[in-house]
Amino acid sequence: HPGPALAADLEFEPLITEALGANPGLHALQSRMEAFQARIRPAGALEDPVLKFDASNVPLSSFDFNSTPMSGKQIMLSQAIPFPGTLRAKTAVAEHTMRASESDLHDREAAVINLVKQSYFMLGFVDRTIDVLERNEDLLRDFVRIAESKYAVGNGLQQDVLKAQVSLSALQAQLIRLRTE
């Protein structure tokens, strides 16, 4: 494991591209939108025509249509034609549904991008905070040494040494928490 990532080491755009490409929720919304898009054309089409063949009074033993004068055969072709404007309305509904699904996809993409941006800038903030606290830690170590030296020669108070050590410990605890983040 190479250690924690620093915001300065990361490029912003590839992070967004990776987040968008690896998000299963976005893939599901993309597929849903494509399914709704595929329904637009069929919504405006006429229903399939119906072809029927009807045979009546045909002997089952021979299927001879000419054996009896009452046998008959009939071929029918029919097409349902909807009320004017119905197909256009169905197409408009399908297009609207697809656009709503597309809006859901874009909203989710924006939310993912926002989360990546927040995380990226939070990482940068934490990195910068760690840098500042590490410099403060060096200063507090110097202050602890100075307070201990003064106390050792009799010019300082033990309370100053203890305060400096407590401040250093608190700062180190804060550094540990930030490095964990």
Side-chain angles (χ1 to χ4, degrees):
H1 186 54
L6 300 176
D9 298 337
L10 300 174
E11 292 184 34
F12 188 63
E13 289 303 319
L15 292 174
I16 290 177
T17 303
E18 182 178 347
L20 292 175
N23 190 300
L26 288 176
H27 293 299
L29 285 174
Q30 178 71 32
S31 297
R32 182 175 178 219
M33 185 197 68
E34 290 168 1
F36 284 133
Q37 190 172 23
R39 291 180 186 172
I40 293 173
R41 223 170 135 195
L46 291 172
E47 290 184 28
D48 291 337
V50 176
L51 178 64
K52 285 185 182 181
F53 176 72
D54 189 17
S56 61
N57 295 328
V58 178
L60 295 176
S61 60
S62 65
F63 283 105
D64 183 11
F65 289 100
N66 296 323
S67 66
T68 63
M70 295 299 291
S71 65
K73 52 191 171 232
Q74 193 176 27
I75 296 177
M76 292 183 289
L77 179 64
S78 65
Q79 172 72 56
I81 302 201
F83 192 76
T86 303
L87 295 178
R88 200 172 28 247
K90 285 182 178 180
T91 301
V93 167
E95 287 173 349
H96 176 73
T97 304
M98 189 276 302
R99 282 194 304 274
S101 178
E102 186 178 30
S103 293
D104 289 345
L105 174 65
H106 292 312
D107 286 347
R108 179 72 61 93
E109 285 175 344
V112 168
I113 290 170
N114 186 32
L115 285 172
V116 170
K117 286 180 179 180
Q118 285 179 3
S119 299
Y120 181 82
F121 291 114
M122 182 55 88
L123 180 61
F125 173 76
V126 169
D127 286 347
R128 185 71 181 128
T129 303
I130 288 172
D131 288 342
V132 169
L133 289 178
E134 284 174 344
R135 283 184 284 175
N136 286 349
E137 182 182 28
D138 292 340
L139 292 174
L140 272 176
R141 286 183 197 279
D142 291 343
F143 183 71
V144 167
R145 278 194 297 272
I146 291 169
E148 287 173 345
S149 297
K150 279 183 151 186
Y151 179 70
V153 295
N155 286 341
L157 300 172
Q158 184 178 19
Q159 141 183 359
D160 291 338
V161 174
L162 293 175
K163 280 183 184 179
Q165 288 173 342
V166 167
S167 295
L168 181 61
S169 294
L171 187 119
Q172 288 170 337
Q174 191 175 8
L175 272 170
I176 289 170
R177 183 184 56 80
L178 286 172
R179 286 184 182 127
T180 302
E181 281 186 32

